[in-house]
Structures are given as structure tokens and as C-alpha cells.
Amino acid sequence: MKNLKKSFFTFLFLLITLTGLNAQSQQNQNFPSGSAQGTTQMNENIRPVQIPNVAIQITEPQSGQEVAFSVRLLLLLTILTIAPSILLLVTCFLRFSIVLDFIKRALSLQQVPPTAILNGIAAFMTLFVMWPTFTTMYNKSFKPLSDGEIGLEQAYKEAEAPIREFMLVQMSDDTSYIKMFMNMSGLEKPETPADVPTYILVPSYILHELTVAFKIGVLLYIPFIVIDMVVASILMAMGMMMLPPVQISMPFKLILFVLVDGWGLLTSQLFASVIR
């Protein structure tokens, strides 16, 4: 009998609680006053994002023109891949980067400044020197091509001319590498610089820049080698055989480099060696 009464009161309590919650939820449908009721249906004016299908179709060429177009496209992609390296090799970046690395080694510096910083300095110095050449290439090649005034082949010739002129000016005092590659190719001696093919001019210019950069590096090493020799002789005379001379000579080399404004002299002389 007690269990029956307990079950009855429990059922009555649950019934009253559910009735109160239902009434409260009906009162809160428009709470706060004047608010709109929510809906889970999407607005018909909103369209979902449509992702287009991408289809790649590989077919056999039907004519020689299609084969030639595929080959030209492959060559174009190859050139775009190696374009940064080509651009660095046909400018003065090669000379600047090698000389800056030489001065770092001459000062016996290992980590300072980092190689990335030196390459960045060389890149901006190259941009400063090559800016007139790049401006000429843009005005005579890229801009007319984008405007539809000239074709792709004419744009290539117009872009090639300023670079060739820059390389020929740098090699005006030494044409031995051009003669060497001309003899290796079995070509006759060119009458004018314009007769030198580009595939001969580019490797000749690269070797010329390497030679010039190494000559500048040797000249940079001489005063610092003298300091190393003096310090090493003093240490040997004092009997300090176990003390590395580099640890003693490096501060003196840094002091000398700072007192003579080494970075300013180096930069000005590099510019003078390129700008004629």
C-alpha cells in the first residue's frame, strides 16, 4: 500500500513538472517581446557554392603543328623553371656574391653575417646596378607585348638586346673567353659584337665574372693575410704555440676593416667595376 502511494505521488509530481515546462516554453517562444521566431529552413535566394569540374584530356597529335606546339610549351615551362638561375648568371649578382663571401672569409668570420644576408645584399646591389637595363627591357619588350603591339619572338629579341649589351660592355676589356668558345664551336671570328651568338656570350660572361671576382678576392685577402702573419710570428716568438692565431688576429682585422670604412669602400669599388 505504501509503495502504491509512493508511485502515485511520483507520477503526479512528474505530470505537474512537465505541464509547467510546456507552459513556460510556450511563453518563451516570443521572448523578448517583438522578436521573430527562428527557422531551420534555408533561404531560397541563397545558392550553394558551385565547384567547377576540372577535366584533363590527353589525345594524340593529329598534325605536325600540334607536335610543335607541345614542344614549345615544354621548352617554355623548362625556361620558366630555370629562369631565376639564368637571371642571376647574366647579371652582376655573381660578382657581388662571390666578393662578399671572400670578404667574410678574409675576416675569419664563420657565422656573421649569415650567407642569406650576404646574398640579399648582393641581390639588392644587383637590382640597383641593373635597374636601367631592366627598365629598357620593360619599355621595349614586356609593355609592347602586353599591349599587343609586337609578337612573342620580337619581344624576346627586344628583351635580349639590353642583356647582351650589358654583358658585352663588361667583357669589352677581355674577349679571350669569347674567342675560346668561338674556336671550340668552330665558328669564324666575329666582325662585330652583334655577331657573337647568345649561347657563346653567356658562358663567356660567366667565366669572365668568376675571374674578376677571384681577382678582387685575392686583393682583399692580402692585407688580412699580412695581419695573420704578424700575429702568428709574435705568438711563436712568445712561445704561445697552443694559442690559435685566428683568435688574436680577428679583432685586429675587424678594427682595421671598420676604421677604413670597409663596407663603403667595398661597395663603391664593386659599383665602379661594373658601371662604366
Side-chain angles (χ1 to χ4, degrees):
M1 188 66 179
K2 291 182 180 180
N3 293 332
L4 182 61
K5 289 182 179 180
K6 186 176 181 180
S7 301
F8 175 76
F9 285 114
T10 302
F11 175 76
L12 184 61
F13 175 76
L14 292 175
L15 182 61
I16 294 173
T17 303
L18 292 176
T19 305
L21 291 175
N22 188 19
Q24 185 177 2
S25 62
Q26 291 180 359
Q27 293 177 1
N28 293 336
Q29 286 181 355
N30 294 329
F31 180 83
S33 178
S35 61
Q37 296 182 359
T39 178
T40 58
Q41 296 180 357
M42 182 178 292
N43 191 353
E44 297 179 355
N45 297 326
I46 299 176
R47 296 183 180 181
V49 179
Q50 296 181 357
I51 301 177
N53 294 327
V54 179
I56 299 176
Q57 185 178 4
I58 300 176
T59 59
E60 295 183 359
Q62 302 297 327
S63 62
Q65 294 182 353
E66 295 183 0
V67 175
F69 175 76
S70 301
V71 173
R72 283 186 293 178
L73 181 60
L74 180 62
L75 292 176
L76 179 61
L77 294 176
T78 304
I79 293 174
L80 291 177
T81 303
I82 62 177
S85 300
I86 296 176
L87 188 61
L88 296 179
L89 291 177
V90 298
T91 60
C92 53
F93 176 83
L94 184 62
R95 181 186 305 187
F96 291 165
S97 61
I98 292 177
V99 171
L100 291 176
D101 189 72
F102 265 116
I103 194 63
K104 176 182 176 180
R105 297 178 184 274
L107 291 171
S108 302
L109 299 175
Q110 301 296 329
Q111 302 295 334
V112 179
T115 305
I117 299 299
L118 294 179
N119 289 334
I121 295 173
F124 278 98
M125 291 172 60
T126 303
L127 183 63
F128 175 78
V129 174
M130 299 295 298
W131 189 259
T133 303
F134 292 155
T135 303
T136 304
M137 294 173 61
Y138 175 80
N139 293 330
K140 293 186 177 181
S141 176
F142 181 78
K143 191 174 185 302
L145 178 63
S146 62
D147 296 338
E149 299 176 358
I150 59 176
L152 184 60
E153 295 182 359
Q154 182 66 23
Y156 170 76
K157 294 180 180 179
E158 294 294 339
E160 183 186 26
I163 292 292
R164 284 178 54 89
E165 182 180 359
F166 173 80
M167 291 188 290
L168 289 171
V169 169
Q170 299 303 316
M171 301 178 62
S172 59
D173 55 348
D174 184 13
T175 59
S176 59
Y177 292 113
I178 294 179
K179 296 178 182 178
M180 181 185 70
F181 280 103
M182 294 290 288
N183 293 331
M184 292 172 60
S185 301
L187 300 176
E188 298 180 357
K189 182 180 179 180
E191 298 179 358
T192 60
D195 297 333
V196 180
T198 303
Y199 68 90
I200 297 292
L201 182 59
V202 171
S204 304
Y205 174 77
I206 294 173
L207 294 182
H208 174 267
E209 288 295 291
L210 288 173
T211 303
V212 173
F214 274 71
K215 289 180 180 179
I216 298 175
V218 170
L219 296 177
L220 290 175
Y221 256 101
I222 292 176
F224 300 112
I225 289 178
V226 172
I227 295 177
D228 288 334
M229 294 176 63
V230 171
V231 172
S233 300
I234 294 175
L235 292 178
M236 291 184 64
M238 296 176 64
M240 298 180 180
M241 305 294 296
M242 303 301 294
L243 183 62
V246 177
Q247 293 184 357
I248 307 300
S249 63
M250 185 177 65
F252 291 100
K253 290 190 287 187
L254 290 176
I255 292 173
L256 175 63
F257 189 74
V258 172
L259 289 177
V260 300
D261 189 17
W263 291 115
L265 289 175
L266 181 63
T267 303
S268 61
Q269 292 302 314
L270 283 176
F271 285 161
S273 67
V274 176
I275 301 175
R276 307 294 178 87

